Amino acid sequence: METDAVLDLMWIIICGILVFFMQAGFTLVEAGFTRAKNTSNIIMKNLMDLSVGSLAFWAIGYTIMYGDSIGSFIGTPSLFYDVRGDMHNLFFQTVFCATAATIVSGAIAERTKFSTYLIFSLLLTTVIYPISGHWVWQGDGWLTGLGFIDFAGSTVVHSVGGWAALVAAALVGPRIGKYTDGKSNALPGHNMLYGALGVFILWLGWFGFNPGSELAISGDSANNVAGIVITTNLAAAAGAVVALFLTWIRYGKADISMTLNGALAGLVGITAGCAAVDPMGAFIIGIVSGIVVVFSIEFIDKVLKIDDPVGAISVHGVVGAVGTLLVGVFATDGGLLYGGGFAQLGVQAIGVVSIGAWAMITTFILLSILKAVMGLRVTEKEELDGLDIHEHGIDSYPEFGRDK
């Protein structure tokens, strides 16, 4: 192999390893933002998202996503992918797939059957994610043909997971005690240190997620990668700062959970356009993302009365959609503010709506079937005692007691 080819392959693998480590970040965020009695359940769901997703995506999902296009809708499936020269891409795309799956975990935490969740995770990584991903990233998908831009997956990965999470959380229903007399009650997470450490790990992992999506680092790609690192970091920082001051003004306190979600929102928001916007555009996208996530979390919780313990629907679904739309505004080549008119913005809207509808409709159908066959929710006693003891036979923190 030529030196440049070796460099590019090594870059993709290293970035894939960083994205793999994001699974630890998601585990810590979800565990920290929920109660101690469900910690082991959170761990198991995130472990199995990665494990089940890796097997399912290798077995058939990768070819459904990247196989020769059938009608610009789906790849030609084949079993147990084994093309020696493409193993680096299989790994990189596998960890992206696992990311989409694990987003759902946090939104339905603390009350969902582990067995049902495993089956849904398998179906999401085998069918839901690969098909809509084909539309954008395979090269011959119908959204690619329209000129839709989603460089690293604000919509392809994050919104798919976020919209699936919205439907799942609505179908499972709120946790016991979350809503009384029409009022939303706080059910605080048990460890903000875990949550913060998880966000730092996710932020680090995003330097594999976005720059790795260049799929090369040799030649001109080196400067492209460096630029993507900067746009990614600026958006995350802006999202965190804006969420901090917005909640400080609204609540009278410097809210840690909203600030952490502000950083994640900036990361999700910039993911679609990280290679298409300049640093100033990334800064503004981060600001918008930080504002949107705060109001979205409040709206979903207090108006829609959908219980999302970690804010996953807002961070990944809503902000993923907004960030994808903003590519049509801030893209230096064809964006609204750069003389491109509304054409790109229109294409971005088509992609956001179509992929959102796909994720929600398929999730509703699959979970409705699973609800009828297996049930989605644990019993009241199991929920009150905690999923750790009933689903996994362990207390993560026996010294705390099971009411925390």
Side-chain angles (χ1 to χ4, degrees):
M1 294 178 70
E2 295 182 357
T3 303
D4 282 355
V6 172
L7 280 173
D8 292 341
L9 190 151
M10 184 170 66
W11 172 245
I12 291 171
I13 290 175
I14 290 171
C15 288
I17 291 168
L18 284 171
V19 177
F20 175 97
F21 193 46
M22 289 173 73
Q23 208 72 19
F26 280 116
T27 303
L28 285 166
V29 169
E30 292 170 25
F33 279 27
T34 54
R35 290 168 292 183
K37 62 186 179 182
N38 299 302
T39 301
S40 293
N41 182 255
I42 296 289
I43 293 168
M44 286 292 286
K45 287 194 295 182
N46 280 272
L47 175 63
M48 287 299 104
D49 282 334
L50 179 62
S51 301
V52 170
S54 292
L55 295 175
F57 202 65
W58 162 66
I60 193 169
Y62 184 75
T63 54
I64 288 176
M65 189 162 174
Y66 287 102
D68 292 339
S69 190
I70 302 173
S72 299
F73 180 80
I74 186 173
T76 303
S78 63
L79 294 175
F80 308 116
Y81 191 72
D82 187 18
V83 177
R84 186 170 182 267
D86 199 39
M87 290 294 99
H88 55 297
N89 284 320
L90 172 62
F91 173 63
F92 189 69
Q93 298 303 330
T94 294
V95 290
F96 269 57
C97 181
T99 298
T102 204
I103 290 167
V104 182
S105 170
I108 58 174
E110 302 199 291
R111 74 270 200 199
T112 306
K113 282 187 175 181
F114 182 62
S115 56
T116 306
Y117 178 79
L118 277 183
I119 294 173
F120 177 70
S121 182
L122 172 66
L123 294 170
L124 190 147
T125 51
T126 306
V127 180
I128 298 175
Y129 171 78
I131 289 178
S132 57
H134 179 88
W135 303 348
V136 181
W137 285 347
Q138 186 268 352
D140 293 321
W142 68 273
L143 281 174
T144 307
L146 292 179
F148 180 68
I149 297 172
D150 187 1
F151 184 79
S154 287
T155 287
V156 172
V157 179
H158 295 281
S159 272
V160 165
W163 297 137
L166 173 64
V167 174
L171 286 176
V172 173
R175 292 168 291 173
I176 295 170
K178 176 61 180 173
Y179 299 107
T180 53
D181 300 323
K183 179 186 175 184
S184 174
N185 303 308
L187 300 176
H190 82 281
N191 195 319
M192 281 298 105
L193 175 60
Y194 286 178
L197 180 58
V199 169
F200 278 118
I201 290 173
L202 288 170
W203 196 329
L204 172 67
W206 239 284
F207 295 131
F209 205 97
N210 287 0
S213 294
E214 175 75 12
L215 301 179
I217 199 169
S218 60
D220 291 340
S221 289
N223 286 327
N224 295 343
V225 164
I228 294 167
V229 167
I230 291 299
T231 56
T232 299
N233 195 58
L234 287 173
V241 170
V242 168
L244 164 65
F245 284 106
L246 178 57
T247 53
W248 208 340
I249 293 167
R250 288 175 64 81
Y251 309 149
K253 300 289 183 183
D255 189 288
I256 182 171
S257 64
M258 281 291 200
T259 303
L260 291 170
N261 271 332
L264 293 180
L267 290 163
V268 171
I270 195 58
T271 294
C274 56
V277 305
D278 60 18
M280 181 57 69
F283 172 63
I284 298 172
I285 288 172
I287 291 173
V288 173
S289 298
I291 294 170
V292 167
V293 77
V294 171
F295 288 107
S296 176
I297 287 174
E298 290 185 0
F299 179 79
I300 288 170
D301 179 33
K302 297 177 181 178
V303 179
L304 297 184
K305 299 289 193 299
I306 294 175
D307 183 15
D308 177 2
V310 302
I313 298 165
S314 298
V315 170
H316 300 279
V318 176
V319 175
V322 169
T324 306
L325 291 172
L326 290 177
V327 176
V329 178
F330 292 104
T332 55
D333 183 10
L336 176 64
L337 296 183
Y338 293 83
F342 287 92
Q344 189 64 51
L345 184 59
V347 171
Q348 297 302 104
I350 291 170
V352 165
V353 171
S354 59
I355 291 178
W358 165 258
M360 287 191 283
I361 291 169
T362 51
T363 297
F364 180 79
I365 292 170
L366 292 173
L367 286 181
S368 295
I369 294 171
L370 290 173
K371 184 176 183 178
V373 175
M374 303 176 62
L376 299 179
R377 191 166 182 141
V378 299
T379 66
E380 180 177 346
K381 176 176 173 53
E382 290 170 339
E383 183 176 344
L384 292 174
D385 287 348
L387 274 62
D388 287 2
I389 192 69
H390 287 284
E391 293 273 26
H392 311 289
I394 188 172
D395 253 342
S396 295
Y397 304 95
E399 67 276 16
F400 283 5
R402 294 178 196 155
D403 60 339
K404 303 297 184 183

